[in-house]
């Protein structure tokens, strides 16, 4: 998981299993997003599993962010959870991929860092 802060929004990149094992990382990511005071984009393309911990994380992001929270590349299993829990009504579910317009090359490159690292980039 990564948090990347651009000029107009923060991007949260999720991958793998989003469950209770990531609770500390998810809490740190929430603090990083809140500190940025920017709109949030969530890229969920590589999420293979999500439980209630992940759903609660998405809900917390909507609570600590003044701007919109958009989720991109939402796998069917995550989309199902969003619909069943009604969290989907709190997020803007966008088809397709986010753009890198507001990120410089070094920040966009950090998307390729190892999974499990939470990073706040200025």
């Amino acid at each position: 998981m990564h948090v990347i802060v651009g000029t107009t929004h923060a991007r949260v990149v999720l991958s793998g299993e989003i469950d209770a094992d990531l609770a500390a990382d998810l809490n740190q990511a929430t603090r990083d997003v809140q500190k940025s005071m920017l709109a949030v984009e969530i890229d969920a393309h590589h999420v293979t599993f999500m439980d209630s911990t992940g759903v609660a994380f998405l809900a917390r992001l909507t609570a600590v962010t003044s701007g919109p929270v958009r989720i991109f590349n939402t796998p069917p299993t995550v989309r199902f959870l969003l619909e069943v829990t009604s969290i989907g009504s709190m997020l803007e579910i966008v088809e397709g991929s986010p753009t890198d317009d507001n990120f410089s090359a070094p920040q966009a490159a950090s998307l390729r860092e190892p999974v499990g690292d939470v990073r706040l980039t200025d």
Side-chain angles (χ1 to χ4, degrees), residues 58-60 62-63 68-70 82 85-92:
L58 296 176
R60 278 194 311 275
T62 65
V69 176
R70 294 182 179 100
L82 297 177
T85 61
S86 299
I87 299 299
S89 65
M90 299 167 65
L91 304 167
E92 182 180 334

Side-chain angles (χ1 to χ4, degrees), residues 5-10 36-41 68 70 101-103:
V5 178
T7 56
T8 62
H9 61 276
S36 78
M37 299 185 344
L38 296 171
V40 178
E41 288 184 349
R70 294 182 179 100
D101 294 344
N102 298 306
F103 294 95

Side-chain angles (χ1 to χ4, degrees), residues 91-103:
L91 304 167
E92 182 180 334
I93 301 172
V94 180
E95 299 296 329
S97 299
T99 63
D100 286 327
D101 294 344
N102 298 306
F103 294 95

Side-chain angles (χ1 to χ4, degrees), residues 41-55:
E41 288 184 349
I42 302 162
D43 186 344
H45 180 72
H46 296 288
V47 173
T48 58
F49 173 81
M50 181 180 285
D51 68 6
S52 61
T53 306
V55 173

Side-chain angles (χ1 to χ4, degrees), residues 19-36:
D19 58 18
D21 290 341
L22 291 179
D25 292 335
L26 296 171
N27 288 333
Q28 182 62 50
T30 302
R31 288 189 296 274
D32 292 343
V33 166
Q34 184 175 21
K35 187 170 138 182
S36 78

